[in-house]
Amino acid sequence: MPESWDWQAQIPEGYTETYDGVDVFEGHYSYKGTKYVPSWGGSMFEALMPQLVLKEKELGKNALGLNNKRHVDIQIQYAKEQGYSAWGMSPAATPDNYSEFAATPLGMDGYKSDGTVTPHATFLALEYAPMEAFNNIQALKRFDMYGKYGFLDSVNVETGEVTQAYLALDQGMTMVSIVNYLKDGVIRDYFHQDQIGKSPEDLLIKETFSIK
């Protein structure tokens, strides 16, 4: 968002580029010296769900692909700084209902961070930090939250309370993430065979965020 929108969490730095005749403000935030383009709330879902079907990692090496890696790295760093024993903050079911969670600095508005971690966030990060994701899966299993249908939807790592529910959306993101990791982005390949996937390819390649 432009610098003039002074309600946002940070005043972004950056520059204006023109793509296909359209002026775009390539702005970024910074966290502990790391530059990134924020999502609305700072959740893993917002940043990384599109790359389940779009070739952001392969084509957007200086833009969305790089930014996805930055979101994963900051999620991990932020959780450690909060003293959490596992990472992965994203909207999830809770014992009471459903709510938004995030690594707060990653958001323009910034969802809360209260110790609630959801497994689907780990799997979304699988292609960007595979060993860290593997270790985090083991940490989540220690909370006794792996059931008949896979991981239950969330755990508060401060209280140890596990949400006794499965959420279809989050199970779906988990399964697609695993398939893409094991089969070299096969779901993205399917999507890009269609015109709706092919259409943004040129822009994915040529756009450069101000985060290098």
Side-chain angles (χ1 to χ4, degrees):
M1 298 296 178
E3 299 163 290
S4 58
W5 293 29
D6 59 3
W7 54 264
Q8 55 187 308
Q10 292 187 33
I11 300 302
E13 299 178 0
Y15 49 80
T16 298
E17 284 282 0
T18 302
Y19 302 100
D20 301 331
V22 178
D23 291 338
V24 177
F25 175 58
E26 296 288 7
H28 65 265
Y29 286 5
S30 296
Y31 181 75
K32 306 291 178 71
T34 300
K35 298 176 182 178
Y36 60 95
V37 177
S39 64
W40 176 257
S43 70
M44 200 77 88
F45 159 83
E46 291 167 322
L48 270 72
M49 191 178 82
Q51 58 88 38
L52 293 177
V53 295
L54 283 171
K55 293 187 176 183
E56 296 177 350
K57 181 172 180 280
E58 295 92 334
L59 302 180
K61 297 183 185 300
N62 296 313
L64 285 166
L66 177 59
N67 200 54
N68 292 343
K69 179 68 166 64
R70 296 282 170 84
H71 273 252
V72 172
D73 291 345
I74 293 172
Q75 278 252 357
I76 295 170
Q77 180 183 358
Y78 182 77
K80 288 180 180 177
E81 290 170 353
Q82 303 307 304
Y84 298 162
S85 56
W87 53 269
M89 287 75 82
S90 199
T94 67
D96 299 321
N97 199 343
Y98 181 89
S99 191
E100 296 90 3
F101 305 98
T104 306
L106 284 170
M108 291 178 57
D109 192 44
Y111 299 147
K112 64 181 177 291
S113 174
D114 68 352
T116 299
V117 166
T118 178
H120 80 261
T122 301
F123 289 97
L124 284 171
L126 192 55
E127 292 187 78
Y128 295 92
M131 286 311 302
E132 290 87 345
F134 175 80
N135 291 332
N136 205 49
I137 289 166
Q138 307 311 310
L140 291 171
K141 282 186 172 181
R142 289 193 282 273
F143 285 97
D144 193 26
M145 62 178 309
Y146 194 82
K148 181 178 180 180
Y149 303 109
F151 278 104
L152 292 158
D153 207 54
S154 73
V155 60
N156 187 302
V157 296
E158 293 190 322
T159 66
E161 185 175 20
V162 175
T163 299
Q164 299 297 317
Y166 300 98
L167 203 63
L169 169 65
D170 296 346
Q171 296 287 78
M173 285 190 284
T174 294
M175 287 187 281
V176 175
S177 295
I178 292 170
V179 170
N180 273 334
Y181 178 72
L182 294 177
K183 298 292 184 179
D184 297 321
V186 65
I187 303 300
R188 291 192 291 271
D189 289 342
Y190 285 141
F191 191 74
H192 279 254
Q193 287 175 14
D194 191 275
Q195 188 58 41
I196 196 172
K198 291 177 183 176
S199 294
E201 288 180 350
D202 288 344
L203 184 57
L204 282 169
I205 293 168
K206 64 187 169 186
E207 187 174 14
T208 301
F209 288 176
S210 62
I211 61 176
K212 291 194 73 177

